[in-house]
Amino acid sequence: MKKGFTLLEILIAVMLTGMLATLALAPVVFTVRRVVETQERYSDISALQRTMNFITRDLNSAMRLAANVITIIDHESMGNRDDDILMIMSSAPSVQNLPAGTLVYKLNEGGIAHNNIIPGLYRWVIPGKVPNAINHEKLRDEDGQLVLPYVSSFKVEVPTNSRNDDNKKDFAGPLPHGIYIKISRKNLEINNGVNNNESENLDELESVIVFP
């Protein structure tokens, strides 16, 4: 006489099969997760590098013979985060069929009154004007171009040879020998609301741009 499987035996078999499948797939799931995290991390660093290349291109288009080529306004926002402003007298606007003028890089954090603004690093093109003729506080949000979202710190300095000078000062004048730039950006975990500890979750990129 043939004896069939009871419902309890079937449930136990299904449960054991599920446990074995989970154990077998666990390393695969972990590996896939690590690959995705690495890709996201690489994507963030790549975005910072593209932004740095973009700024370098504008700096290389600077009009070297102008009386005031570069203006750097040193500023710190809440939490002692760098919130500097870079102005470049450049021929780059010609790409947009505009006369030479000033390019302004600065952070825009949006806020309650500007909830339609994505926080990040923005670029303004102001044709026909030199940097010292521009009031950066009156730049209109809608005229700025978002270069990279969620940039939390933008630091620009002109290196000096003086030990007494910590480079934390404004600069205005001809094209210097080099410019130091550091961009810090909230990483994807913060942007997705997973982790709110900004001090430990920043992607950063530093570069010294040297002019021959």
Side-chain angles (χ1 to χ4, degrees):
M1 180 177 178
K2 294 183 179 180
K3 183 180 179 182
F5 294 105
T6 66
L7 179 60
L8 180 60
E9 290 173 333
I10 294 175
L11 290 176
I12 292 174
V14 170
M15 182 181 68
L16 291 174
T17 302
M19 291 176 62
L20 291 173
T22 300
L23 291 174
L25 291 175
V28 177
V29 172
F30 177 76
T31 302
V32 171
R33 184 181 302 163
R34 292 290 296 177
V35 170
V36 171
E37 290 175 352
T38 301
Q39 289 176 338
E40 289 177 345
R41 171 75 177 179
Y42 178 77
S43 177
D44 261 17
I45 296 299
S46 296
L48 287 171
Q49 186 62 62
R50 286 194 299 270
T51 300
M52 194 70 77
N53 292 340
F54 194 78
I55 297 174
T56 301
R57 186 194 67 185
D58 281 346
L59 285 166
N60 286 330
S61 299
M63 302 183 69
R64 299 168 183 253
L65 299 180
N68 179 247
V69 182
I70 300 291
T71 294
I72 298 171
I73 300 175
D74 180 72
H75 181 255
E76 287 186 352
S77 59
M78 294 181 61
N80 295 325
R81 293 182 302 176
D82 290 292
D83 188 9
D84 297 345
I85 299 169
L86 172 63
M87 300 185 187
I88 312 163
M89 184 66 184
S90 175
S91 60
S94 62
V95 178
Q96 300 172 242
N97 295 320
L98 298 171
T102 297
L103 308 174
V104 180
Y105 282 91
K106 63 174 292 193
L107 296 182
N108 191 342
E109 297 183 359
I112 298 176
H114 307 279
N115 55 10
N116 60 328
I117 298 296
I118 299 174
L121 181 64
Y122 280 74
R123 174 183 185 262
W124 283 260
V125 179
I126 307 174
K129 284 191 176 183
V130 294
N132 55 3
I134 295 170
N135 185 346
H136 64 89
E137 295 180 350
K138 293 186 177 181
L139 295 175
R140 299 194 308 170
D141 292 338
E142 57 269 26
D143 293 336
Q145 170 195 3
L146 179 61
V147 178
L148 184 64
Y150 306 113
V151 172
S152 55
S153 179
F154 181 56
K155 182 177 184 179
V156 187
E157 296 177 355
V158 173
T160 67
N161 295 323
S162 173
R163 293 184 178 180
N164 297 323
D165 187 350
D166 61 357
N167 297 335
K168 297 295 292 180
K169 65 179 184 179
D170 297 341
F171 175 89
L175 194 69
H177 294 297
I179 290 180
Y180 167 82
I181 298 177
K182 179 179 179 181
I183 304 174
S184 303
R185 187 188 190 208
K186 300 176 183 179
N187 68 17
L188 291 176
E189 289 185 354
I190 294 177
N191 296 341
N192 292 331
V194 175
N195 193 327
N196 292 321
N197 190 350
E198 297 181 14
S199 62
E200 298 180 359
N201 291 274
L202 291 177
D203 290 322
E204 297 180 337
L205 184 64
E206 299 175 273
S207 179
V208 176
I209 302 165
V210 179
F211 305 104

